[in-house]
Amino acid sequence: MHVTSEQRLDDGVLERAFTLGEIPGILWLPGSAAAPAPLILLGHPPLGLRRMYPRLVARARHSAAEGFATATIELPGSGDRPRLPAAEQARADLRRAMEAGEPVSDKIVDALVLPLVDKAVPEWQVALDALLSLPEIGGPVGYSGGVISIGTRLAVVEPRISAAVLFAGSLVPRALFEEARQVTIPLHVLLQWDDEGNDRQAALDLFDAFGSKEKSLHANMGGHTGVPQFAGDVAAQFFSRHLK
């Protein structure tokens, strides 16, 4: 991990930008931590860290107030990272289908999501290796938000993740439903009931597929970006129960 910049935010949170090879990332540390802090990995959609920064830093500040360190990395094909031609084509196919009012085919969903999951999950694991080597971070580890298929795969393959908050707001390949049955960690799933870009029934089916003994689904009225503030507060309570 190579630290490229460091700044202290006005609430005392320490923000470090870093790179792991060619992968940019950001780490936020609580302003006053008497002991190594538990860590939450902040997932996000593939829109680029610059565009997502205001929402990510708000989540990081909220988590720091609860005593958590947080970190995120740029997803493959996003930001300044090289484009993924197959994903770009799949995204164009998705737009055409939605504009024409046609159903989104499994082929489009697989082409858009599966390569992203296959590339992103090992990178998150590399980032986790580096983050847990820092003296300020002691675990345990949670995963929060982002592309739900990435969170599902991580929950299956990464034993260091103890609990996850997942956002049911993205397309899910059918293959991930089988992986969901292997998830056993505690889950807190957020669903926007009127999310115009999300298949509500598929989100409900995915929740049903998760194999976790402890899982809860919190649905709120409103569109994709209308998650109420109190939903974040409840998610923070979930992590406090499982990571402290």
Side-chain angles (χ1 to χ4, degrees):
M1 176 182 289
H2 173 64
V3 176
T4 57
S5 68
E6 184 173 288
Q7 64 171 332
R8 183 76 64 174
L9 305 183
D10 55 15
D11 56 359
V13 174
L14 181 63
E15 177 183 283
R16 290 179 185 161
F18 64 84
T19 57
L20 288 166
E22 298 180 355
I23 306 170
I26 309 173
L27 167 66
W28 292 274
L29 295 165
S32 56
L39 174 67
I40 299 174
L41 304 177
L42 298 182
H44 53 90
L47 301 175
L49 284 183
R50 288 196 189 96
R51 182 173 171 183
M52 291 302 302
Y53 177 82
R55 289 165 61 182
L56 288 166
V57 73
R59 290 164 62 191
R61 287 174 184 263
H62 191 269
S63 296
E66 301 294 327
F68 296 112
T70 53
T72 193
I73 56 174
E74 189 75 87
L75 291 175
S78 297
D80 295 329
R81 299 189 65 185
R83 302 296 96 181
L84 301 176
E88 295 290 311
Q89 181 60 54
R91 196 169 288 114
D93 293 341
L94 174 65
R95 283 196 298 269
R96 279 196 294 270
M98 296 183 70
E99 289 169 0
E102 299 172 352
V104 178
S105 69
D106 290 345
K107 181 179 178 181
I108 292 175
V109 175
D110 288 354
L112 182 65
V113 180
L114 289 178
L116 177 64
V117 173
D118 290 343
K119 292 177 180 292
V121 167
E123 292 181 354
W124 271 115
Q125 291 181 292
V126 169
L128 190 52
D129 290 340
L131 291 162
L132 289 178
S133 72
L134 299 175
E136 300 96 335
I137 296 174
V141 181
Y143 176 86
S144 175
V147 178
I148 197 168
S149 294
I150 292 176
T152 299
R153 173 74 60 80
L154 269 171
V156 173
V157 304
E158 181 46 73
R160 292 173 291 183
I161 294 179
S162 302
V165 171
L166 302 178
F167 295 174
S170 52
L171 299 168
V172 181
R174 291 187 183 277
L176 265 296
F177 283 77
E178 286 305 313
E179 295 189 35
R181 302 183 204 285
Q182 303 173 50
V183 175
T184 58
I185 62 173
L187 295 179
H188 178 98
V189 181
L190 296 174
L191 171 65
Q192 287 300 102
W193 200 250
D194 306 305
D195 189 339
E196 60 283 354
N198 186 35
D199 184 334
R200 182 197 302 162
Q201 190 57 54
L204 295 173
D205 291 344
L206 181 65
F207 177 79
D208 190 46
F210 284 124
S212 303
K213 291 183 178 179
E214 181 186 338
K215 59 180 180 179
S216 59
L217 177 68
H218 293 250
N220 293 286
M221 306 305 291
H224 187 75
T225 59
V227 180
Q229 177 62 45
F230 65 78
D233 296 337
V234 175
Q237 293 168 12
F238 169 83
F239 277 132
S240 291
R241 288 199 307 274
H242 292 287
L243 301 185
K244 287 187 176 180

